[in-house]
Amino acid sequence: MIRKQMHIGMSIRGLGYHPAAWRHPDVPADGSLRFEHYARSAKAAERGKCDLIFFADGIGIRERDIPRGSLVRMGYELVEMEPMTLLPALAVVTKHIGLVTTASTTYNEPYNLARKFATLDHISNGRAGWNVVTSWSDAEAGNFGREQQLDYETRYARAAEFVDVVKGLWDCWEDDAFLFDKEKGLFYDSSKLHTLDHKGRFFSVR
């Protein structure tokens, strides 16, 4: 008999998914700008035996102020901490829960993102996760020197190559490459470090 297991995560987005959540008596209105709010949420998710916490991050304010003045009444998706900075701090105050965030392949470079997630993985002892997205809104494009978003085909072709490069960078070091041999003075085995030398349509990464 095949045993099936459900994996449950908590999506943490600012103060919640209701636009008026910040007005609830038990919610700190400025919580999305305070580390303590996220730490409390992460610890609660871990106590509740969730497998992961997830930040569905966006890199632009995608809300439209229609009718004019409506945004001033909302706390949803307007002010949030940057998750690749926040998650390493949450790794320190948790022990078991997975730490997952969205990161765009359109507005990042593979080397930077590979290094950030590898660092999070080391700090958390293997609990890092990456939700790969291409970004889709013109609001995000406007924050990175574009009038509008790249077309669908280009975004996804870039994303496929981006993921290949990141995985290739992670594999540059073999698992047993580091010797840490103080007596012989050998920090690592040079035969187990490999240069990626990727050259593709979108990226050239040594």
Side-chain angles (χ1 to χ4, degrees):
M1 183 179 200
I2 299 175
R3 182 173 177 264
K4 295 183 178 181
Q5 183 174 356
M6 180 182 291
H7 294 278
I8 299 175
M10 177 187 285
S11 181
I12 300 177
R13 191 80 196 262
L15 295 172
Y17 281 82
H18 194 286
W22 66 277
R23 299 181 65 187
H24 191 281
D26 296 334
V27 173
D30 63 347
S32 62
L33 294 174
R34 294 188 176 276
F35 173 72
E36 294 79 8
H37 162 71
Y38 296 101
R40 185 168 56 250
S41 298
K43 290 176 180 178
E46 189 165 65
R47 287 196 306 273
K49 306 301 181 183
C50 287
D51 293 291
L52 60 94
I53 55 172
F54 171 56
F55 288 86
D57 191 46
I59 44 181
I61 296 176
R62 297 187 290 233
E63 298 293 332
R64 295 185 298 164
D65 194 20
I66 300 175
R68 186 164 179 77
S70 62
L71 278 182
V72 302
R73 300 180 180 277
M74 294 175 57
Y76 174 59
E77 287 190 355
L78 291 174
V79 181
E80 300 171 304
M81 288 191 176
E82 194 282 308
M84 285 305 299
T85 307
L86 177 60
L87 281 173
L90 293 178
V92 177
V93 298
T94 57
K95 293 181 179 179
H96 307 291
I97 200 163
L99 306 166
V100 184
T101 186
T102 293
S104 173
T105 58
T106 303
Y107 301 114
N108 281 294
E109 290 293 320
Y111 189 91
N112 296 101
L113 213 57
R115 190 176 184 217
K116 288 178 181 179
F117 274 103
T119 298
L120 175 60
D121 205 53
H122 281 292
I123 291 173
S124 66
N125 292 312
R127 295 185 282 138
W130 175 22
N131 176 43
V132 180
V133 300
T134 68
S135 298
W136 57 269
S137 74
D138 290 345
E140 291 165 298
N143 288 336
F144 294 88
R146 297 182 182 275
E147 292 295 324
Q148 61 185 25
Q149 188 60 270
L150 295 173
D151 66 89
Y152 181 93
E153 183 179 346
T154 301
R155 293 202 321 271
Y156 278 83
R158 177 186 164 98
E161 185 179 339
F162 193 112
V163 172
D164 285 343
V165 173
V166 168
K167 291 166 69 176
L169 288 167
W170 286 336
D171 288 339
C172 283
W173 292 99
E174 295 185 26
D175 290 342
D176 59 349
F178 292 99
L179 303 174
F180 305 125
D181 190 327
K182 293 185 177 181
E183 185 175 338
K184 293 181 180 178
L186 293 174
F187 196 82
Y188 70 95
D189 182 343
S190 60
S191 70
K192 296 183 178 183
L193 167 60
H194 310 286
T195 303
L196 183 63
D197 278 334
H198 173 89
K199 290 180 174 60
R201 175 183 171 189
F202 297 97
F203 303 106
S204 177
V205 182
R206 181 176 183 273

